[in-house]
Amino acid sequence: MDIKTFAKELWLFGVKQAYACVFGGFLLALMLITKFWYPLEALHRYDFIFLAAIGFQILLLVFRLETLRECVVILVFHIVATVMELFKTSDAIGAWVYPEDYVFGIANVPLFTGFMYSAVGSYIARVWRIFEFEYSYYPPKSLTLVLVTLVYINFFSHHYIWDMRWILVAFTFFLFYRTAIYYKINRTHRSMPLLVGWFLVALFIWFAENIATYANIWIYPNQASEWQMVPLAKLSSWFLLMLLSFVLVASINKIKIRRKNEAI
């Protein structure tokens, strides 16, 4: 590949990624802007973010920037995430807290929080379509569904019994170590190991988490007195969440297997 082709594909890759991240980018921008400037006294900031997220989703559908299937993915993620949030923020667990007031919420969870997880699902669904994903050596769906079921259970159970995350990470590597993902930037497909792709996305989610906690959207116990960066150890949680999100989207998408020796 010559330098001109590389530069063009790098630019197109960035543009397409930004387009795929449009919902998550909107939420993150909203969080930062409202931290420094929020003039609506009659509406809580969390409630404004919730209503704005709904309005943005409607606009994406009206202008056909998002498909109905991608909207369904967002709804599923919202439900799955809210259940986990209710558990994690309960008085008995207290993994993190939402320090501001709200009307639209259940127990300790403002309803906009589900959209933060939905943004991950939305990204995966959109990037899958935009880059026309193909795979080699993708494991059986049944095994991947068993894996992510165990991952989801561990998000709850590790508060009471031994944390299985590293066993689950090892099982993930065992299932996917041969799997490559092929993504079309311009005219041809490029490839990378799927595990590397998941790690890179998990890293960007960790960056976004630092921005969100800085914006006082939620805080961890060690951030109660003053903000500090989220420990890198959280990357393992985001990697497993990325795996869960990807497999949920894959369960409703057609997985196109690339033919052996097919040209890139």
Side-chain angles (χ1 to χ4, degrees):
M1 185 192 305
D2 57 40
I3 295 177
K4 183 178 179 180
T5 301
F6 175 78
K8 181 179 179 180
E9 289 202 357
L10 184 63
W11 166 255
L12 285 175
F13 181 81
V15 169
K16 287 186 173 184
Q17 285 286 350
Y19 179 55
C21 293
V22 64
F23 183 54
F26 169 78
L27 283 180
L28 209 56
L30 203 61
M31 292 171 185
L32 274 177
I33 291 170
T34 56
K35 171 183 171 60
F36 296 105
W37 181 70
Y38 185 70
L40 303 178
E41 295 183 2
L43 182 66
H44 295 305
R45 178 189 178 210
Y46 286 173
D47 294 333
F48 173 76
I49 294 174
F50 173 65
L51 295 174
I54 293 175
F56 193 69
Q57 278 296 310
I58 293 172
L59 286 176
L60 289 176
L61 285 172
V62 168
F63 289 100
R64 298 183 179 180
L65 298 175
E66 185 172 84
T67 67
L68 186 59
R69 171 175 284 191
E70 289 162 0
C71 188
V72 170
V73 167
I74 285 174
L75 178 61
V76 171
F77 272 82
H78 202 115
I79 295 170
V80 171
T82 300
V83 171
M84 187 171 69
E85 284 279 340
L86 286 168
F87 174 80
K88 292 284 190 177
T89 61
S90 65
D91 294 337
I93 302 300
W96 57 80
V97 297
Y98 294 94
E100 299 184 22
D101 295 328
Y102 51 87
V103 173
F104 298 111
I106 305 172
N108 295 330
V109 181
L111 286 181
F112 81 88
T113 60
F115 281 116
M116 297 188 298
Y117 297 87
S118 296
V120 178
S122 170
Y123 165 75
I124 296 172
R126 292 165 67 84
V127 80
W128 191 307
R129 169 173 55 87
I130 293 166
F131 284 95
E132 302 177 28
F133 282 170
E134 298 176 9
Y135 304 90
S136 62
Y137 300 106
Y138 195 91
K141 273 190 176 183
S142 57
L143 287 179
T144 65
L145 289 171
V146 169
L147 173 60
V148 299
T149 299
L150 293 174
V151 167
Y152 190 66
I153 291 172
N154 191 66
F155 281 139
F156 299 87
S157 65
H158 80 86
H159 290 283
Y160 304 105
I161 61 175
W162 182 58
D163 190 349
M164 298 187 298
R165 75 177 61 202
W166 295 114
I167 291 179
L168 294 171
V169 169
F171 188 26
T172 302
F173 273 73
F174 172 74
L175 283 183
F176 291 97
Y177 77 96
R178 297 179 66 193
T179 307
I181 184 169
Y182 297 80
Y183 50 97
K184 188 175 183 180
I185 299 176
N186 190 18
R187 293 186 176 90
T188 60
H189 278 80
R190 306 298 177 188
S191 68
M192 74 166 63
L194 182 56
L195 290 170
V196 172
W198 285 345
F199 173 77
L200 291 174
V201 175
L203 184 62
F204 276 97
I205 295 174
W206 179 78
F207 288 141
E209 179 184 36
N210 276 283
I211 293 171
T213 54
Y214 173 73
N216 205 47
I217 294 299
W218 76 90
I219 56 174
Y220 292 106
N222 66 322
Q223 297 173 323
S225 57
E226 63 177 354
W227 181 82
Q228 53 186 293
M229 289 188 70
V230 178
L232 271 171
K234 284 285 290 181
L235 270 175
S236 63
S237 297
W238 290 121
F239 180 83
L240 291 174
L241 177 71
M242 186 64 213
L243 166 68
L244 172 63
S245 304
F246 188 92
V247 172
L248 285 177
V249 173
S251 68
I252 62 173
N253 275 358
K254 181 180 178 181
I255 297 175
K256 185 175 181 181
I257 302 299
R258 195 167 183 84
R259 295 190 300 273
K260 189 176 181 180
N261 297 325
E262 188 174 352
I264 296 179

